[in-house]
Structures are given as structure tokens and as C-alpha cells.
Amino acid sequence: MSGGLLVAGTTSDAGKSVVTAGICRWLVRQGVEVAPFKAQNMSLNSFVTREGAEIGRAQAMQAQACRVEATALMNPVLLKPGGEQSSQVVLLGRPVGELSARGYHGGRQQKLLGTVLDCLAELRGTYDAVICEGAGSPAEINLRRTDIVNMGIARNAGLPVLVVGDIDRGGVFASFFGTVALLSPEDQALVAGFLVNKFRGDVSLLEPGLDMLHGLTGRRTYGVLPFRHGLGIDEEDGMGVRNSRASAPVGEDVLRVAVCAIPLMSNFTDVDALAAEPGVVVRFVDRPEELADADLVVVPGTRGTVRALEWLHERGLTDALRRRAAEGRPLLGVCGGFQILGEHIEDEVESRRGHVDGLGLLPVRVRFAREKTLTRPVGKALGETVEGYEIHHGVADVQGGEPFLDGCRVGQTWGTHWHGSLESDGFRRAFLREVAAAAGRRFVPAPDTSFAALREEQLDRLGDLIEQHADTDALWRLIESGAPQGLPFIPPGAPA
């Protein structure tokens, strides 16, 4: 078997990433060697593979669903927005430059098609099946000519397409029909059918509509997935907390964590491990008064360190952060947040603003290098082993304080470039004990919370969702044999 499938969606956030991960976990439990693939991803949430390549975090989690090591082949093109009009282009895990949206869609994107197809072919030659994820909608008629992630990849690789629709948003039947009807005859021939996501209620009430949709399009619905809380894997965009546990705290108090919602926030998934702890309450904030009752404040990573620093000034948050540090109240800066807490920044790469004063809370000077640091470090902190990953242009010159991972701490102000450090269970518990003591909270970390086990449990739940609520026999045939022959054309089709 050398099967494949493209999971497309009627919209962004229809559930493509989750469905892809669920299909991957279902397949691997059937003994199939499977890999994920997304030709082009736009996200500020990224991950570093063992080979030192940067890819989207969603593909890293899908690789985990497949129980395989993530590689650059699984996400050959990653776009990291740096503003409203431009993105850093990461090709096969390495940055190759900045491009405007017009410049990318005006020619560069199509030139990447060969690389994308080579990566997919290599994966298909290695695994029994490759489950591909699309981006946005396949019916973006203004972008079809240069598309390399939806129907462009499906046409070139002969992949059947399953279209996912979020029924919780409303209008799912019109979205399914309209998606097919705006595609060319050649593209429509690959759209095998639909998958309804986030359904609430009695499925029998939905079935007449599914029958009508089949009559209108000649395409079947492969499953109706019920709405389930807490099933999102690491997302490409948006802002939220996953893996949150509503269970009561082990100690007498909860611990309140406030995350500054800075512009171009990257890898906000760092705080998911905190939210996984019983009794830890995480929220994103953008006003000084929201820091007042926080036991820990986190300044997260960002794709625009200088811009984020200016935003903190504009919001009045810098004074609140300085007061917090002076009072010995816990404050953690991660990556770009760590750079912001330092004394000054020399940036001729990201913002090209030259010398910029930081908040001066840590004895650190940062110089932006053109070469990006992409590593998977391992170290010790607070007596515990810590693993993480680094993705940054800023090079930190630490000139004092107490060593803390690759950064430092002064009192209760901590800074590091390491993403993912809080996923190390022993270190997370030790850090939270320090925070609770400094905050005067009678909070006790749970002794048995395993973040890795919670992730596995979540991926198994996604596999269960596919196994229990999709027609897996039909899905298997689709992956193995491709789109059914003779699917009807639905007018009007794509504009000329």
C-alpha cells in the first residue's frame, strides 16, 4: 500500500489539523505506517526537529499521532508572519528570506511546487500512507493558479480530497456545496466527499440534509464527528490554552498565571503545560490592572521583539512589569520575552531599528544575528533535567544574575530562550513551587501530572473520534484506492 489523502476544509479552523491527527492515530493503531504532510503552513507556532529544522507545531503533533519522529519533509514550506504584509519563508526547515504576500503569490510560491512534490514523494516511498493537510479553503479562486497546498498538491500527486466543515459555525451545507461548485472539473474529480465536524445533538436530524447533499453533489459524507471539548492540538494560529484541566488544586490555593498578549506572539503553546496542572489558571491579558492579582506573569515569545516592546510601553504594561520585578513577584520571559526583559537590543535584522533599550530587569544584552538559532538543548535547572527547543535570531550576552537554562534569573525575574521547558514534568513542578512560595500561595503541584501522557491521551481521543464516528471502511478505501470514478461535475466550476 502507498496510499494518500488530502484533508481540506471549507474554511480556516474547520478542524483540518485535528481530523488529520485523528486519522493518523486511527491508522497507526491499525498497524499502518503513516506520516503527516502539509506542503505550506502559515504559523507563528513552530517546532524544531531532531535534525535542527523548523516546522509547524501542528505537523510535529501529527507526527506524534503517527508515533514517528517529525522531519522537515512533513512541512517543507513554513511562512512566519512578521507584520500585515510580509512573512519569513522557511524552506526545508531553514529561513531563506522575507517576502511580501504579493511577492510570494506572484511567483515564488509556484517555484516551490517541485520541492513540495519531492518531499511528498519521499514520504510516500517510505510510509504506507501519507495524510496531507490543506490550508484555508481549496476554493480560494483568487489563489488557485499558484496553489501548492490544496488542489495544487492534490492534482499533481493524484490525492483524493476529503472536505471538512465546522457545523458549529452554521452554513455547513452551503459551504460544502459551494466549495465543490467553485472548483474546475479536474479538481472536482478528486473531491471524494465530506466530513462534518463539531456536531451537537441528534445525528438522525442531520441525516436528511446529508442525503440531500449527496443528491446535489454525488458525493457522500464520510462521518459526523461530535463536538468535544479540549480536543485541539497545537494550533497554527489563534490564541488559546489547550490541555487545561478543571480539576481542583492539590493544595489550598490556585495559582493564577497572566500571559501578556503581545503582538506576533509565537509559541504561546509554552503555557499549555502550566494549564495542564490542576489548580493553575492561565489567561491572556493586555491591560496593567490584569497583572495585579497574577501570581506569575509570562512575557512569551514573539516574531517582533521590538514591536512587542513598543506595544508593552503603549499599553502601560512596562511600568507594571517593572513594579512587579521590584516587589520580587514572579515574572518569566521566554525567547522574545526574555530579550525584552534585558538591558538593550541591537536589531538590524528583524525590525532594523538598531539600538533599543529593553526593560533592564535582567543583566542581558541582545544582538540580532542573521543566522537563526535552531536547536534542541538539554540541561538542568532547579535540580531537574530540562529539555526544550530554541528558535531565535537574538543572541543573548548574559552578564550577571544566577544561571537559568541558557539565560538567567534575578530574584523572581527569570529569562530563557528555551521553548517547551515547562513540558519537563519535574522542572515544571519545581518552578511552580518556587512561584507559589514567592507569591505566598498555598499551592501544591500535583505529583503525578505527566504532560507527555496527557498529549498521548488527547491523541488517542482523536483516534477514537475517527474510529467511532467516521465510516472507516470507506475511509480506508479512499486512502488506498483514491477518489471514486465518475463523480459528477457541479456547475458553475472555477472562473476562467
Side-chain angles (χ1 to χ4, degrees), residues 53 97 122 133 160 164 180 241 277 279 328 346 352 390 441:
E122 187 169 342
E133 180 188 341
V164 178
V180 178
V241 178
E277 284 286 348
E346 290 289 341
R352 297 180 175 86
E390 295 185 55
R441 294 286 184 187

Side-chain angles (χ1 to χ4, degrees), residues 258-287:
V259 184
C260 295
I262 57 180
L264 297 174
M265 190 188 309
S266 62
N267 290 68
F268 52 79
T269 47
D270 284 333
V271 300
D272 286 352
L274 294 177
E277 284 286 348
V280 175
V281 180
V282 178
R283 68 183 190 272
F284 290 89
V285 303
D286 61 4
R287 299 195 304 271

Side-chain angles (χ1 to χ4, degrees), residues 34 65 75 91 94 100 110 158 181 183 193 199 213 227 243 250 261 321 390 402 431 449-450 465 482:
V34 59
N75 179 207
L91 179 62
R94 293 286 172 179
S100 67
Q110 191 66 18
L183 301 178
F199 178 73
L213 182 66
F227 186 95
N243 304 301
V250 175
L321 293 172
E390 295 185 55
E402 181 182 339
F431 178 69
T449 301
S450 167
L465 206 64

Side-chain angles (χ1 to χ4, degrees), residues 254-260 281 283 285 287-299 312 316-333 341 359-361 410-414 431 434-441:
V254 299
L255 208 63
R256 297 174 179 85
V257 179
V259 184
C260 295
V281 180
R283 68 183 190 272
V285 303
R287 299 195 304 271
E289 56 269 25
E290 294 178 296
L291 304 187
D293 67 344
D295 302 306
L296 169 66
V297 171
V298 178
V299 185
L312 290 169
L317 284 160
T318 51
D319 288 340
L321 293 172
R322 287 189 175 113
R323 282 195 303 271
R324 183 175 192 89
E327 293 166 0
R329 302 177 66 197
L331 172 61
L332 171 65
L341 299 183
L359 297 190
L361 303 180
V410 173
Q412 289 300 319
T413 299
W414 314 64
F431 178 69
E434 286 241 5
V435 168
R441 294 286 184 187

